[in-house]
Amino acid sequence: MSRSDWEVVIGLEVHAQLNTASKIFSGASTAFGAEPNRQASAVDIALPGVLPVLNRGAVERAIRFGLAIGAHVAEKSVFARKNYFYPDLPKGYQISQMDLPVVQGGAITIRVGEGEQAYEKTVRLTRAHLEEDAGKSLHEDFHGMTGIDLNRAGTPLLEIVSEPDMRSSAEAVAYARTLHALVRWINICDGNMQEGSFRCDANVSVRKKGATEYGTRREIKNLNSFRFLQQAIDFEVQWQIDTIEDGGRVEQATVLFDPDTGETRMMRSKEDAHDYRYFPDPDLLPLVIAPDWKARVQAEMPELPGAMKARFMDEWGLSAYDATTLTAAKEVADFYQATVAAAGTALAKPCANWVMGDLAARLNKAELDITASPVSPAQLAGLVARIADNTISNAIGKKVFEALWNGEGGGKADAADEIIDKQGLRQVTDSAAIEAMIDEVLAANQKSVDEFRAGKEKAFNALVGQVMKASKGKASPAQVNELLKQKLAG
């Protein structure tokens, strides 16, 4: 039986660390990188006589997320104790939400694949609830023992749970990337996967094509890169199919992914909700979100990626691909909008081409974020404007861009103009001057002239190249083409 006879079913649970300065129930710092156990307060480890106090900023971030995905933000939600024993859980329980989460429902639209094969899909969300993080077990450099760092204990998390709507690792990765971009866009999470700010658990099962009941799922824990997410799901899917086809049974379990071997391995048999003995936390009142609080958060929301994408297409005439690319990250969208604001909306498309093309390539090569770009939006707008008004050609524009990247022009908004004038790069548009260059090229390249007149179109391009070379790239390409055709037709 081939893999095409099976259907893959995937749901993701994502833990997004909320970017508050203090923890969810205490005033301890959430800053990353502190010495072990320096940021674990008495509240975080539940010493006798302490009481948790809910962080208002964490709640506002949860509200913001609920509004962004079109979910129901509950007017009343309840915190519960999730009871289990683990060395890095000092309380013996985790404060979370079970029956009444703060965010209920909602959906996210994802784009899967590239080019003509790309398609859009809506993934439903079950819920998103507030909870505290546990500590961290450290297994290295302890000579066979395990160290416990409780700095993370009490860090605010929003656990975002999807419905099992995804049918491939590609869809799961597209969903995770879209969600990652969204939580950064609305500024509730920094999205730093290396520091553990955005972690994915993938619930994976398989079933025969056409079956209505779900297969037994296994949960792959703590995936902190999109590449590992895809590799882990692909391996797990094949393992489950092979196990069933060989006559075995898939048992519900929690598994870990080993990036070195590319395999998943069982961690423990998977618990269900009743195994955690949830009950309402007696130290915390129900969370009540008044309508005016939600309205205030709504008024402060930024324009969301979907709305911005539609605006780029409707008002600025961008293609769906361009608009999607430019709204994939808020920093890119902000840079692009600032460039268009400086250049004018009539140049929205060429601005998009430069941001997605030369600028993106240079940033990737230098391993820089767009917020650290040496070329400012105003400078890029100045360059685009000079190409648009035929002051320089696109080819010369690339030279000016390199000069801007290297700091020429002193960071001034009109640096492109200064570079053009200083280096004498203004485009030659004098017809007489261009005709003189064409005459010289034709006289020196009789073979190409004969080949063109014999029907070889490539010869024409060769002649254009020679004229552009003679003008050191400054001649107007449009005028060169037009005048050369006239000369050759004569």
Side-chain angles (χ1 to χ4, degrees):
M1 189 177 293
S2 70
R3 181 164 173 170
S4 61
D5 296 320
W6 295 88
E7 182 178 45
V8 179
V9 179
I10 303 166
L12 293 189
E13 299 172 13
V14 173
H15 293 84
Q17 178 179 323
L18 300 176
N19 57 1
T20 56
S22 57
K23 295 185 179 179
I24 189 168
F25 299 117
S26 81
S29 173
T30 59
F32 180 81
E35 290 293 315
N37 300 308
R38 296 295 178 89
Q39 295 175 180
S41 75
V43 174
D44 302 328
I45 59 178
L47 292 181
V50 301
L51 288 172
V53 177
L54 181 58
N55 185 327
R56 183 181 181 89
V59 178
E60 290 205 346
R61 285 161 175 76
I63 296 171
R64 206 179 302 167
F65 179 75
L67 294 172
I69 62 168
H72 171 65
V73 178
E75 291 188 7
K76 178 181 177 181
S77 59
V78 174
F79 286 97
R81 291 186 179 180
K82 179 181 180 181
N83 298 275
Y84 65 98
F85 296 98
Y86 212 71
D88 56 19
L89 190 71
K91 299 176 180 179
Y93 64 87
Q94 176 191 31
I95 301 177
S96 183
Q97 293 185 308
M98 179 58 184
D99 295 329
L100 293 173
V102 64
V103 174
Q104 302 163 15
I108 289 177
T109 299
I110 63 174
R111 183 177 177 84
V112 189
E114 299 289 343
E116 294 182 358
Q117 303 301 315
Y119 62 94
E120 289 192 346
K121 178 173 183 173
T122 298
V123 176
R124 297 168 298 156
L125 274 70
T126 309
R127 57 189 280 148
H129 60 263
L130 288 163
E131 64 182 19
E132 60 179 345
D133 205 351
K136 186 175 182 180
S137 297
L138 306 172
H139 305 293
E140 298 178 358
D141 303 324
F142 285 93
H143 308 291
M145 297 184 292
T146 295
I148 301 296
D149 180 6
L150 298 178
N151 282 345
R152 287 189 67 92
T155 296
L157 300 178
L158 188 67
E159 181 172 346
I160 304 162
V161 183
S162 81
E163 290 289 318
D165 286 349
M166 289 157 276
R167 295 294 177 265
S168 68
S169 61
E171 290 187 357
V173 170
Y175 167 82
R177 286 186 180 276
T178 303
L179 187 60
H180 181 261
L182 178 63
V183 296
R184 294 179 66 233
W185 188 286
I186 60 176
N187 193 27
I188 66 171
C189 171
D190 66 20
N192 192 318
M193 300 180 81
Q194 287 70 38
E195 295 179 2
S197 298
F198 190 89
R199 312 190 298 268
C200 301
D201 300 340
N203 289 286
V204 181
S205 66
V206 298
R207 62 184 177 185
K208 294 283 184 64
K209 282 280 181 69
T212 55
E213 292 187 5
Y214 293 130
T216 302
R217 63 185 170 87
R218 301 212 311 171
E219 182 180 21
I220 313 170
K221 295 288 287 185
N222 290 330
L223 297 162
N224 67 348
S225 86
F226 301 123
R227 181 165 57 91
F228 292 165
L229 175 62
Q230 182 148 16
Q231 290 174 350
I233 291 173
D234 286 340
F235 177 85
E236 180 64 24
V237 166
Q238 194 60 55
W239 180 88
Q240 291 189 22
I241 291 172
D242 291 343
T243 297
I244 296 170
E245 290 186 345
D246 289 343
R249 287 184 58 198
V250 174
E251 301 288 346
Q252 185 170 327
T254 299
V255 302
L256 295 175
F257 175 68
D258 185 340
D260 294 328
T261 64
E263 299 177 353
T264 57
R265 56 181 173 82
M266 184 166 157
M267 180 182 177
R268 60 177 179 266
S269 59
K270 176 63 179 173
E271 298 90 348
D272 285 311
H274 62 264
D275 295 312
Y276 292 112
R277 296 172 293 120
Y278 282 94
F279 63 86
D281 192 301
D283 292 336
L284 287 163
L285 292 171
L287 170 60
V288 176
I289 298 174
D292 63 330
W293 188 6
K294 188 166 73 171
R296 192 161 59 250
V297 175
Q298 175 76 74
E300 296 170 354
M301 290 281 286
E303 183 181 22
L304 295 175
M308 187 177 289
K309 173 185 170 181
R311 178 167 61 83
F312 286 176
M313 294 170 65
D314 295 342
E315 297 181 12
W316 293 355
L318 299 191
S319 67
Y321 175 82
D322 288 354
T324 300
T325 301
L326 291 165
T327 55
K330 192 171 189 302
E331 296 83 0
V332 175
D334 288 344
F335 189 101
Y336 170 63
Q337 291 192 102
T339 304
V340 174
T345 56
L347 299 179
K349 174 57 179 171
C351 286
N353 293 342
W354 276 91
V355 171
M356 295 187 300
D358 291 72
L359 179 64
R362 208 66 172 79
L363 290 169
N364 288 337
K365 184 178 180 181
E367 297 183 347
L368 288 176
D369 188 84
I370 197 167
T371 55
S373 171
V375 182
S376 71
Q379 290 175 329
L380 187 61
L383 170 59
V384 172
R386 295 293 79 80
I387 296 171
D389 66 13
N390 290 319
T391 298
I392 57 173
S393 66
N394 198 64
I396 293 296
K398 293 180 182 296
K399 293 182 180 180
V400 176
F401 177 81
E402 283 301 311
L404 289 170
W405 182 273
N406 293 325
E408 294 184 38
K412 292 177 286 188
D414 62 351
D417 287 336
E418 184 174 309
I419 293 166
I420 291 167
D421 290 336
K422 185 177 180 181
Q423 297 187 16
L425 299 176
R426 288 185 179 274
Q427 191 163 245
V428 176
T429 56
D430 182 342
S431 296
I434 295 175
E435 282 192 47
M437 285 185 273
I438 291 175
D439 289 339
E440 289 180 12
V441 167
L442 294 179
N445 293 272
Q446 187 60 47
K447 182 180 178 183
S448 295
V449 172
D450 293 339
E451 288 178 349
F452 171 75
R453 288 174 172 159
K456 292 185 178 181
E457 287 294 329
K458 287 183 179 179
F460 180 81
N461 295 331
L463 291 168
V464 170
Q466 289 298 317
V467 177
M468 294 305 296
K469 182 179 178 181
S471 71
K472 297 181 180 178
K474 297 178 188 179
S476 166
Q479 284 183 269
V480 169
N481 274 267
E482 182 182 349
L483 293 171
L484 184 57
K485 286 178 181 176
Q486 291 176 10
K487 292 279 186 179
L488 290 170

